[in-house]
């Protein structure tokens, strides 16, 4: 049964048709990935399906009674709303009840024990029990934890772009709509969180439609692929690997058909050129057919990014990192890191958000000084630093001027000199687009232009900070091929597991406390090592846990909570609320007391103790909540 149908849908912007006469159906439980080059119309297609944009022609039909949620690349919020209000308030129904319940619990934790508030808490608990709200509330806590959304009282206006995207994603996942549409959901997520999201969406039972550059994610989550290419939308009944296989077959067949057509045109031209006298005796029908064949438009070649830029010679001394440490307050990012970067190193840097990965690159380039230790750069080193924020882009500058500021001519890896304009054409910027101002470019075009600017400098050491954000899959493939033959050293910070597997042979993982651990091999090799280590640890712990002495003490536990456990459940909830309220205040006090070492130490100890207690309380709360849900109980009034 079709949940969403598109009938002859077209969408144009100015003279550029994004897609024309698209007819497709989205069936129940479909998991669809949309791929295509930047500017092909992927996000526009999502918005048309979601009903946020009207098609120029045709219509979109959605089944009645089906809920829909849309995650855009840049979600908009009310800056005065808290994180909690943003996640729950806009959906109404049981979500609104959960919001009221959470706010009431915060008020209880703040010391308000008035009979009116206690009565309201009791009413809300009853409502959540009757409408299945406890299951949603438990799911909400799990989602918030996995997305590292800890301070639910923070105002949306104080959050970074990445944090806002996580809050928006949390809202859509907790809402559990019938149709879930996600535009680049993996941006701003670390690799571990992407793995969790991957498994979460694999269990999702509604219609899923997403745009992502993460090819592992596409391969493991989707079962259909829509390719948006040169005004058409083609459907492939399989995952990304299946799409690649069928696309290769199509291209091969297209090449054969194109060759046959060229040969036929040559034959017909020779026939027509035998002279006017001869042509008078020829079949009028065949002459018309020949002209029609030659009048057919040649198939437009698909634009592909061509990265063929040379690099400067690199000497034996590259980069030496000697005993480098970096902290911000009590947050130790890097502790006594020493490493000798070699000319053929291919290093992938991974770790949680905020762990110090970008800080390391900023220290290597001199943007941020280390607290201790030193970084020595070899005399022949020319660093190309592709940062997350594209900080060198000037919105008021023309595209062609931005590139000419680096070089008027560039030497390719084949030793050929070409102009900056020709190089822009290789990066899919037409002559007309080269005279547009940078501020008018799309996010993907800006990142592609910034990549060209970095490579135009012919670097021999490349530092890439989240290069896969906003770059389309064709550009990523071209970049990977360029890096295959890159003769210098590479350090790449990325959450894209596929990109890491294609480009690196060593992993640096940032651990808590500033430790940087090195693992040999690509990202998949690191995962295998981690899984093997965890399995070995469990096998060592299992005999201790299942010893005869411990087994004798174990008694079957009733799923139903005792009165004492119900009271404990409520107390744990209050403690969690208190801890979540106090922790952000400690951060503020730490910043204010930066010059008072004694006070900073005191606050740091309190912060550690609170975090430890919060972890224990969350674990106990989850255990009690699961048993309460299974037994159909409600908390005591």
């Amino acid at each position: 049964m079709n949940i969403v149908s598109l009938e002859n849908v077209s969408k144009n912007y100015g003279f550029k048709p994004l897609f024309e006469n698209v007819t497709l159906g989205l069936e129940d439980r479909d998991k669809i990935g949309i791929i295509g080059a930047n500017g092909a119309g992927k996000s526009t297609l999502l918005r048309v399906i979601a009903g946020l944009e009207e098609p120029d022609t045709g219509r979109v039909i959605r089944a009645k009674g089906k809920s829909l949620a849309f995650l855009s690349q840049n979600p908009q919020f009310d800056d005065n709303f808290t994180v909690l209000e943003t996640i729950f308030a806009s959906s109404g129904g049981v979500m609104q009840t959960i919001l009221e319940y959470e706010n009431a619990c915060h008020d209880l934790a703040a010391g308000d024990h008035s009979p009116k508030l206690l009565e309201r808490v009791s009413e809300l608990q009853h409502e959540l029990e009757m409408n299945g709200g406890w299951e949603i509330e438990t799911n909400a806590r799990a989602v918030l934890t996995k997305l590292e959304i800890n301070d639910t009282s923070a105002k949306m206006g104080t959050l970074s772009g990445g944090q806002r995207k996580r809050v928006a994603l949390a809202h859509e996942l907790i809402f559990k709509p019938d149709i879930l549409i996600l535009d680049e959901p993996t941006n701003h997520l670390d690799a571990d969180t992407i793995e969790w999201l991957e498994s979460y969406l694999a269990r999702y039972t509604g219609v899923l439609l997403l745009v992502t550059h993460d090819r592992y994610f596409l391969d493991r989550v989707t079962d259909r692929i829509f390719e948006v290419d040169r005004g058409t939308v083609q459907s492939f009944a399989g995952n990304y690997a299946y799409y690649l296989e069928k696309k290769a077959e199509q291209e091969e067949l297209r090449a054969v058909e194109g060759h046959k057509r060229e040969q036929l045109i040559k034959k017909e031209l020779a026939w027509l050129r035998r002279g006017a006298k001869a042509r008078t005796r020829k079949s009028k029908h065949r002459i018309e057919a020949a002209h029609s064949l030659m009048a057919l438009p040649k198939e437009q070649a698909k634009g592909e990014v061509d990265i063929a830029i040379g690099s400067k010679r690199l000497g034996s001394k590259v980069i030496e990192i000697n005993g480098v440490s970096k902290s911000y307050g009590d947050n130790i990012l890097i502790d006594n890191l020493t490493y000798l970067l070699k000319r053929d190193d291919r290093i992938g840097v991974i770790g949680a958000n905020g762990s110090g990965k970008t800080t390391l690159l900023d220290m290597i380039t001199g943007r941020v000084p280390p607290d201790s230790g030193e970084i020595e750069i070899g005399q022949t080193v020319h660093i190309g630093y592709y940062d997350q924020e594209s900080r060198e882009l000037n919105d008021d500058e023309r595209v062609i001027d931005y590139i000419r500021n680096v070089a008027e001519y560039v030497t390719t890896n084949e030793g050929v000199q070409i102009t900056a304009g020709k190089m822009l054409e290789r990066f899919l910027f037409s002559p007309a687009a080269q005279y547009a101002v940078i501020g008018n470019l799309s996010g993907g075009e800006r990142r592609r232009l910034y990549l060209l600017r970095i490579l135009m400098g012919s670097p021999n050491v490349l530092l890439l900070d989240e290069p896969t954000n906003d770059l389309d899959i064709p550009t990523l493939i071209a970049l990977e091929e360029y890096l295959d033959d890159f003769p210098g050293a590479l350090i790449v910070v990325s959450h894209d597991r596929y990109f890491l597997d294609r480009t690196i042979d060593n992993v640096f993982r940032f651990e808590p406390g500033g430790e940087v651990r090195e693992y040999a091999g690509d990202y998949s090799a690191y995962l295998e090592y981690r899984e093997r280590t965890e399995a070995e640890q469990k096998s060592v712990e299992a005999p201790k846990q299942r010893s005869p002495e411990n087994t004798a003490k174990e008694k079957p536990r009733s799923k139903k909570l005792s009165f004492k456990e119900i009271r404990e459940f409520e107390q744990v909830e209050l403690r969690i609320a208190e801890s979540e309220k106090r922790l952000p205040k400690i951060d503020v006090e730490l910043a204010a007391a930066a010059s008072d070492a004694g006070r900073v130490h005191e606050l740091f100890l309190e912060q550690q103790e609170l975090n430890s207690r919060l972890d224990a309380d969350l674990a106990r709360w989850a255990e009690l909540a699961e048993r309460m849900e299974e037994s159909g109980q409600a908390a005591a009034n």
Side-chain angles (χ1 to χ4, degrees), residues 341-461:
L341 186 71
K342 298 175 287 295
R343 63 195 305 170
D344 58 349
D345 270 350
R346 297 284 191 276
I347 297 171
V349 183
I350 64 174
N353 289 329
S355 61
K357 305 183 297 295
T358 297
T359 301
L360 174 62
L361 302 189
D362 283 345
M363 286 195 296
I364 291 174
T365 55
R367 293 183 177 182
V368 173
D371 294 339
S372 60
E374 61 180 359
I375 298 175
E376 297 180 13
I377 309 295
Q379 289 185 350
T380 60
V381 168
H382 293 268
I383 295 176
Y385 184 15
Y386 180 89
D387 66 43
Q388 282 193 57
E389 300 172 4
S390 306
R391 281 175 267 192
E392 295 179 1
L393 284 171
N394 178 0
D395 284 352
D396 298 325
E397 193 171 13
R398 294 187 307 176
V399 169
I400 185 68
D401 295 333
Y402 176 73
I403 295 302
R404 281 175 176 165
N405 287 340
V406 181
E408 182 68 44
Y409 294 91
V410 63
T411 303
T412 69
N413 53 11
E414 297 173 349
V416 178
Q417 273 201 340
I418 62 174
T419 64
K422 287 295 182 183
M423 200 66 232
L424 278 166
E425 288 185 32
R426 292 189 177 196
F427 268 63
L428 307 187
F429 290 97
S430 66
Q434 294 175 22
Y435 287 88
V437 294
I438 293 173
N440 291 337
L441 301 181
S442 68
E445 289 169 331
R446 289 168 64 89
R447 295 292 279 176
R448 194 184 333 126
L449 178 65
Y450 185 57
L451 175 62
L452 173 58
R453 164 92 172 214
I454 299 302
L455 298 181
M456 284 279 286
S458 301
N460 49 29
V461 174

Side-chain angles (χ1 to χ4, degrees), residues 542-556:
K544 295 179 182 178
Q545 295 172 350
R546 289 295 175 186
S547 64
E549 192 176 301
N550 291 337
T551 304
K553 292 178 182 178
E554 289 179 2
K555 294 180 180 179

Side-chain angles (χ1 to χ4, degrees), residues 250-296:
Q250 278 188 3
E251 294 297 330
E252 185 177 345
L253 180 61
R254 189 172 293 171
V256 171
E257 293 297 326
H259 178 71
K260 286 182 179 178
R261 180 184 167 192
E262 290 296 325
Q263 293 303 311
L264 183 56
I265 288 175
K266 288 180 181 178
K267 180 180 177 182
E268 293 299 294
L269 276 173
W271 180 77
L272 287 171
R273 287 169 178 166
R274 288 178 186 170
K277 186 177 179 181
R279 283 203 304 273
T280 59
R281 298 192 297 271
K282 298 188 187 298
S283 163
K284 182 179 178 182
H285 174 73
R286 183 173 176 183
I287 293 173
E288 291 174 350
H291 283 294
S292 297
L293 177 65
M294 289 181 285
L296 285 173

Side-chain angles (χ1 to χ4, degrees), residues 117-255:
L117 179 60
L118 291 171
E119 182 180 355
R120 182 55 182 157
V121 169
S122 176
E123 291 173 356
L124 291 169
Q125 288 174 341
H126 179 69
E127 284 183 39
L128 291 174
E129 180 185 358
M130 296 300 294
N131 60 19
W134 288 121
E135 179 184 354
I136 297 175
E137 208 265 355
T138 302
N139 177 57
R141 286 189 180 273
V143 169
L144 293 177
T145 300
K146 290 295 185 181
L147 292 177
E148 299 175 2
I149 300 171
N150 302 315
D151 183 7
T152 56
S153 63
K155 296 287 187 181
M156 293 301 298
T158 66
L159 303 185
S160 67
Q163 290 169 325
R164 290 163 72 92
K165 184 72 175 278
R166 285 167 179 259
V167 170
L169 178 58
H171 174 271
E172 313 308 354
L173 297 182
I174 292 167
F175 180 40
K176 287 189 173 180
D178 299 306
I179 305 165
L180 179 59
I181 301 178
L182 306 175
D183 196 353
E184 296 289 4
T186 61
N187 280 1
H188 306 294
L189 302 183
D190 58 42
D192 290 340
T193 308
I194 291 174
E195 284 184 36
W196 167 80
L197 180 61
E198 191 178 277
S199 61
Y200 187 97
L201 293 178
R203 300 191 302 270
Y204 176 67
T205 56
V207 175
L208 174 66
L209 195 62
L210 63 91
V211 170
T212 181
H213 58 260
D214 189 316
R215 285 155 284 178
Y216 280 154
F217 196 88
L218 271 176
D219 205 43
R220 295 167 183 170
V221 171
T222 63
D223 53 28
R224 289 180 72 187
I225 296 291
F226 287 173
E227 182 191 41
V228 185
D229 179 30
R230 290 168 286 179
T232 65
V233 179
Q234 186 177 1
S235 177
F236 295 82
N239 62 6
Y240 182 67
Y242 177 86
Y243 156 78
L244 289 177
E245 179 184 341
K246 293 301 177 185
K247 191 65 179 176
E249 291 176 5
Q250 278 188 3
E251 294 297 330
E252 185 177 345
L253 180 61
R254 189 172 293 171

Side-chain angles (χ1 to χ4, degrees), residues 579-614:
S579 297
E580 291 179 337
K581 185 177 181 181
R582 175 59 184 152
L583 281 169
K585 291 182 179 178
I586 292 177
D587 290 334
V588 175
E589 291 176 24
L590 276 169
S595 59
D596 186 346
R599 178 59 178 157
V600 166
H601 181 67
E602 179 182 320
L603 288 168
F604 179 67
L605 291 178
E606 182 186 359
Q607 187 183 54
Q608 284 187 315
E609 183 182 345
L610 265 182
N611 278 321
S612 178
R613 189 176 77 183
L614 181 60

